[in-house]
Amino acid sequence: MFKKILVANRGEIAVRIIRACKELGIESVAVYSTADKNSIHTSLADLSICIGPPPPNKSYLNINNIISAALVTNCDALHPGYGFLAENPSFEENCSDNDITFIGPPSDAISLSGNKSMAIEVMKKHKIPVIPGSSGNVENLRQALNISRKLGYPVIIKASFGGGGKGMRICRHSHDLESLFSLAKSESLSSFGKSEVYIEKYIQKPRHIEFQIIADNYGNISCAGERECSIQRRHQKLIEEAPAARLSQKTRRVIKEYAVRAARAINYKNLGTIEFLVDENENFYFIEINSRIQVEHPVTEMVTGIDLIKEQIKIASGERNAFTGRDILASGNAIEFRINAEDSENNFAPSPGKITDCFLPGGPGIRVDTFIHSNYIVPPFYDSLIAKLIVWANSRDEAISRASRALSEFRIEGIKTTIPFHKKIISNENFKAGKIHTHFIEEEFAL
Ligand code: ADP
């Protein structure tokens, strides 16, 4: 087992990883930008080290500074968390060049997962259902027009190297394709540094259901069930739950098998997520692989009892998959609410600043993953996620009433958050009935 792990991240996920290290008896090293000098992850870790000024490209994205921090502190492993460098294959290579174990998949699996259009082609070869689409990147407008005509409108233009719900454009009519195609390409270039795009048939009102994979270094692959992430705003997840709200046992079992097959097809190692869209008739389609721990991993932890971060660490250290040959069962229902420092009454505008007072909910079935406290100043430089409220109960109905109770206790003063919006969602009758899809927020709240 590792002796010392460098946690190459900040915020709630850095705290989460440091906690897992402590429970495993492993020392942890936090890194921080000058904006995060007093952030709680720096004091929870055994050691902390400054890696640069606030802008992410000078600190949390600065590979040289992070690797140097790991070397001077004698770390034998590094956990990337999510975001920042977690899906950067050269980061993994830099770690291994310096004899630091990267807690995640090898660089070839990261590269393939990051190239969405190529991953889809690989899945097709392995007979995994995918959305009808362009078979690779679309080079020019003529090709885009041809493919879209064959697929039938609406279509969706997607950045091949995209992520985080960015770089996607829905095109409903051929006369809009020219402008949307060039917009998608330039957006993709500015956000991801690569202009490649591909085109898929646009699925009407799908549900986003993803499956958690656990794979060791010896080819033992298990699936820890699914998470439903259909409550999204502008393709970004806001609420996630496990198990999926309304999914037949048969479809669940079948997709689970495909998810394991997908992981095997690319010789996947460590933890990963295989994402699918599921339509109204429970037809399902692979969309992408996420080669890291997901923000929403706690809902799986709550229903399975598995500590996924500890599993990542154990597998990276060479341990065998502890779940080989047995079914991982889900008990009860868990729902996660992303609490963002955003003003949900004002087009979700970022709301950094000082938290003048704060009270975190507790009681049965409540978990809050966060790094905030009274007098904490939310810096303006990073992702707006400041806390995750996760509720667990014996049934979905009970989880919703528990969530309602917890959200009403949750108090964050001084800045605006998404808490008021979550309260509205959980009192919505269609949400309560599990009648959810990726356009739910748009339809119910005209947002
Ligand atoms: P990202 O990597 O940016 O998260 P994904 O490919 O995972 O992108 O898609 C994010 C979301 O965008 C999905 O959950 C879904 O809401 C929407 N989406 C993506 N592809 C399609 C499609 N072909 N039809 C309908 N919605 C889609």
Side-chain angles (χ1 to χ4, degrees), residues 32-80:
Y32 63 92
S33 74
T34 49
D36 281 338
K37 190 169 187 303
N38 299 316
S39 191
I40 203 81
H41 75 286
T42 65
S43 53
L44 288 179
D46 296 289
L47 265 177
S48 67
I49 188 157
C50 182
I51 47 161
N57 60 342
K58 299 238 159 74
S59 47
Y60 298 106
L61 290 172
N62 186 328
I63 296 184
N64 284 342
N65 288 9
I66 295 174
I67 297 284
S68 304
L71 291 173
V72 296
T73 52
N74 286 320
C75 286
D76 46 1
L78 176 151
H79 196 306

Side-chain angles (χ1 to χ4, degrees), residues 13 25-26 54 56 128 209 220 230 277 352 376 430:
I13 194 64
I26 301 170
I128 291 162
I209 303 182
N220 301 306
S230 300
L277 290 186
Y376 175 72
N430 283 332

Side-chain angles (χ1 to χ4, degrees), residues 116 131 156 158 162-166 168 198 200-203 206 208 232 235 275 277 287-288 438:
K116 292 161 69 166
I131 299 173
I156 182 166
K158 297 171 78 170
K166 288 194 212 114
M168 274 182 276
Y198 62 108
E200 275 176 357
K201 174 85 187 153
Y202 185 67
I203 310 287
H208 174 121
Q232 307 178 347
H235 306 306
E275 296 189 336
L277 290 186
I287 49 169
E288 67 162 340
T438 58

Side-chain angles (χ1 to χ4, degrees), residues 22-314:
K22 281 187 201 255
E23 290 180 21
L24 288 169
I26 301 170
E27 278 187 72
S28 55
V29 177
V31 293
Y32 63 92
S33 74
T34 49
D36 281 338
K37 190 169 187 303
N38 299 316
S39 191
I40 203 81
H41 75 286
T42 65
S43 53
L44 288 179
D46 296 289
L47 265 177
S48 67
I49 188 157
C50 182
I51 47 161
N57 60 342
K58 299 238 159 74
S59 47
Y60 298 106
L61 290 172
N62 186 328
I63 296 184
N64 284 342
N65 288 9
I66 295 174
I67 297 284
S68 304
L71 291 173
V72 296
T73 52
N74 286 320
C75 286
D76 46 1
L78 176 151
H79 196 306
Y82 54 70
F84 294 125
L85 294 166
E87 287 159 291
N88 181 330
S90 47
F91 189 43
E92 190 278 339
E93 283 158 15
N94 259 277
C95 288
S96 72
D97 288 348
N98 286 286
D99 284 332
I100 299 163
T101 304
F102 179 84
I103 301 173
S107 62
D108 53 350
I110 302 176
S111 294
L112 182 60
S113 308
N115 186 341
K116 292 161 69 166
S117 60
M118 198 190 275
I120 289 169
E121 292 312 299
V122 173
M123 294 307 142
K124 262 166 61 180
K125 278 202 196 101
H126 288 83
K127 308 242 173 326
I128 291 162
V130 301
I131 299 173
S134 57
S135 301
N137 297 328
V138 179
E139 307 297 342
N140 51 47
L141 179 65
R142 198 168 52 85
Q143 217 184 333
L145 281 163
N146 266 335
I147 288 155
S148 306
R149 187 172 34 80
K150 278 190 202 135
L151 293 173
Y153 290 86
V155 296
I156 182 166
I157 311 162
K158 297 171 78 170
S160 301
F161 296 91
K166 288 194 212 114
M168 274 182 276
R169 292 280 161 177
I170 301 158
C171 179
R172 298 186 186 277
H173 306 284
S174 58
H175 51 255
D176 293 332
L177 194 66
E178 183 170 4
S179 60
L180 290 173
F181 183 69
S182 61
L183 200 62
K185 274 180 98 61
S186 58
E187 223 172 61
S188 168
L189 184 64
S190 62
S191 302
F192 310 109
K194 289 178 181 163
S195 66
E196 284 86 349
V197 294
Y198 62 108
I199 294 181
E200 275 176 357
K201 174 85 187 153
Y202 185 67
I203 310 287
Q204 304 284 355
K205 294 194 191 177
R207 295 158 64 189
H208 174 121
I209 303 182
E210 57 183 37
F211 286 72
Q212 177 67 56
I213 291 296
I214 302 176
D216 67 15
N217 298 341
Y218 319 100
N220 301 306
I221 304 177
S222 315
C223 179
E226 84 279 8
R227 295 182 284 263
E228 166 139 22
C229 312
S230 300
I231 302 295
Q232 307 178 347
R233 181 180 163 267
R234 299 194 176 159
H235 306 306
Q236 286 172 1
K237 300 163 185 170
L238 257 185
I239 296 179
E240 302 96 349
E241 58 182 290
R246 291 194 307 167
L247 187 68
S248 69
Q249 275 300 354
K250 181 169 170 265
T251 306
R252 172 177 289 117
R253 206 178 48 243
V254 174
I255 313 183
K256 217 167 156 174
E257 278 163 20
Y258 276 112
V260 170
R261 192 195 290 188
R264 202 173 300 287
I266 62 164
N267 195 17
Y268 196 84
K269 294 188 176 71
N270 211 277
L271 267 64
T273 298
I274 318 289
E275 296 189 336
F276 293 86
L277 290 186
V278 180
D279 73 14
E280 285 160 317
N281 301 317
E282 293 205 348
N283 296 310
F284 56 87
Y285 311 92
F286 165 90
I287 49 169
E288 67 162 340
I289 303 165
N290 281 320
S291 59
R292 54 170 157 84
I293 194 74
Q294 300 271 92
V295 174
E296 57 273 21
H297 76 275
V299 290
T300 302
E301 297 189 321
M302 299 297 268
V303 295
T304 61
I306 300 172
D307 184 318
L308 294 173
I309 305 281
K310 283 190 196 165
E311 290 309 316
Q312 285 191 297
I313 297 172
K314 288 185 200 165

